[in-house]
Amino acid sequence: MDQVIRPRRLRGNAVLRKMVRETRMDKSSLVYPLFIVEGENIREEICSMPGQYRYSIDRLGEPLEELEKAGVSSVMFFGIPAHKDELGSMAYAEDGIIQRAFEKARRDFPNLYLIGDVCMCEYTSHGHCGILCGSDVDNDKTLEYLAKTAVSQVQAGADMVAPSDMMDGRVEAIRNALDKNGFYHTPIMSYSAKFASSFYGPFRDAAESTPAFGDRKTYQMDYHNRREAMKEVLLDVKEGADIVMVKPAAVYGDLIREIKETVKIPVASYSVSGEYSMIKAAALAGFIDERGVMCEMAASAYRAGTDIYITYFAKELAECMEKGVIG
């Protein structure tokens, strides 16, 4: 057969396949989300997310040590306070759960890169991501509280803040507040294209952040909308975001690619709780190869254009990268 071009030539063995691999991944791009609760001696498995736990501050060293050992250098904290109120006051309190967690982690693990999720939903009694006016979230009033929360996290030891609330103008408000307090060099990773997704269920269980009424569709995005996602991203870049994010990751590769080709700053994607739990459930039922699907989903996000991958599989992916299974 007279066939000059044969793509299979470059698939002949593992060494060659890795040599010509187009998508490269590295452990340094992984971020692990971690849930922290009030109390003592708590390591509580999250029933909807097998293998994931809530930790009290006194046991925070256990997962952080595991991350360092695995080669995962970045972690994002989510705090679950004992007290919640209408204004989410424990989100920005000096002695709040997340502030104390940052202080301990900064002191005990100086080489880890600490990221603070900035939102109100875990801290408000109503479970919404901002301050209510009647039954609606007051966008502009919420900005003040988000800015206070971001500053308090950085003062406690966070290296980066990541606003996830989807209020209009929050990146600019946070940037101004950080600069006013002398934190000129603290980056903002904005949840820019965050969709009102059905993939968030297990997270809301883990963070105890299910809305007491209604839903979040008046501030999180309609998943039908591509142009609006680009509008959100470009607004965040204009307001001073240093990194933009797409959330969820698995079924939004088209947007990750378009954003990557449009903006000149790093692009993150968040492989959310529902993605994790679906893989775990199917693997426990014997329907899929857990490691294989985990690696394939990660590769799809990086192939689309992800620079930073936030995932509950961070430790497992780091191990696969170390062994050359993926990366």
Side-chain angles (χ1 to χ4, degrees):
M1 182 177 179
D2 186 14
Q3 187 167 337
V4 176
I5 299 174
R6 293 179 179 265
R8 286 185 58 187
R9 291 193 193 106
L10 298 182
R11 303 173 196 156
N13 61 59
V15 173
L16 180 58
R17 287 193 296 273
K18 193 167 184 180
M19 183 191 304
V20 300
R21 184 170 288 169
E22 297 175 26
T23 302
R24 303 282 179 170
M25 292 165 275
D26 186 87
K27 288 185 284 187
S28 64
S29 65
L30 297 170
V31 177
Y32 182 70
L34 186 62
F35 300 98
I36 305 158
V37 296
E38 296 280 9
E40 294 182 357
N41 195 31
I42 296 173
R43 180 180 180 269
E44 176 183 50
E45 188 167 24
I46 301 163
C47 63
S48 58
M49 299 177 69
Q52 300 299 310
Y53 299 83
R54 302 181 190 93
Y55 292 89
S56 54
I57 291 177
D58 61 315
R59 297 191 65 172
L60 185 56
E62 296 171 25
L64 297 184
E65 189 173 331
E66 291 175 5
L67 288 169
E68 278 200 326
K69 191 174 294 185
V72 178
S73 57
S74 300
V75 59
M76 181 183 288
F77 284 175
F78 295 88
I80 306 164
H83 168 75
K84 302 187 180 193
D85 57 36
E86 288 287 311
L87 299 178
S89 60
M90 295 310 294
Y92 45 86
E94 188 175 335
D95 61 345
I97 179 70
I98 205 75
Q99 288 76 12
R100 286 182 282 125
F102 278 125
E103 288 169 358
K104 180 175 175 57
R106 175 55 59 230
R107 181 176 64 250
D108 297 347
F109 294 87
N111 295 323
L112 282 179
Y113 195 83
L114 307 178
I115 304 170
D117 175 81
V118 178
C119 195
M120 308 298 291
C121 62
E122 299 111 296
Y123 303 92
T124 55
S125 52
H126 46 74
H128 279 283
C129 298
I131 309 304
L132 292 184
C133 178
S135 60
D136 190 31
V137 174
D138 187 322
N139 187 97
D140 294 5
K141 187 174 182 179
T142 299
L143 300 184
E144 172 191 347
Y145 292 87
L146 294 170
K148 286 167 61 174
T149 299
V151 170
S152 73
Q153 290 184 2
V154 177
Q155 288 172 334
D159 296 296
M160 177 190 288
V161 291
S164 61
D165 54 283
M166 289 302 287
M167 297 298 117
D168 294 339
R170 89 274 204 201
V171 172
E172 183 177 11
I174 291 171
R175 182 74 271 157
N176 288 340
L178 290 173
D179 290 355
K180 183 178 178 180
N181 284 272
F183 299 119
Y184 306 102
H185 301 296
T186 299
I188 297 173
M189 175 168 64
S190 178
Y191 289 64
S192 297
K194 179 180 178 181
F195 291 85
S197 172
S198 297
F199 284 90
Y200 300 154
F203 175 92
R204 292 176 183 173
D205 174 37
E208 300 176 1
S209 62
T210 302
F213 63 90
D215 54 40
R216 297 186 174 126
K217 292 181 179 179
T218 64
Y219 42 101
Q220 293 179 359
M221 285 188 56
D222 182 342
Y223 59 76
H224 297 83
N225 296 354
R226 179 187 61 81
R227 288 178 298 178
E228 186 185 13
M230 295 305 301
K231 178 181 180 180
E232 289 277 13
V233 167
L234 294 174
L235 279 170
D236 283 358
V237 172
K238 184 178 180 181
E239 291 178 20
D242 301 284
I243 301 166
V244 292
M245 186 198 302
V246 177
K247 181 184 180 184
V251 292
Y252 293 86
D254 59 324
L255 289 173
I256 297 171
R257 169 50 54 190
E258 186 166 1
I259 292 165
K260 178 71 171 181
E261 292 178 346
T262 302
V263 303
K264 306 303 179 187
I265 62 175
V267 177
S269 65
Y270 195 145
S271 181
V272 297
S273 59
E275 299 170 35
Y276 174 89
S277 295
M278 286 193 303
I279 293 175
K280 281 290 185 180
L284 286 170
F287 297 153
I288 62 169
D289 168 13
E290 179 178 323
R291 189 176 75 164
V293 173
M294 170 191 76
C295 290
E296 190 171 340
M297 284 180 64
S300 73
Y302 284 97
R303 187 180 65 242
T306 290
D307 299 297
I308 299 163
Y309 192 52
I310 305 163
T311 173
Y312 301 95
F313 282 119
K315 288 180 287 185
E316 294 85 349
L317 284 169
E319 180 183 355
C320 289
M321 292 176 184
E322 184 71 28
K323 293 179 177 179
V325 177
I326 187 175

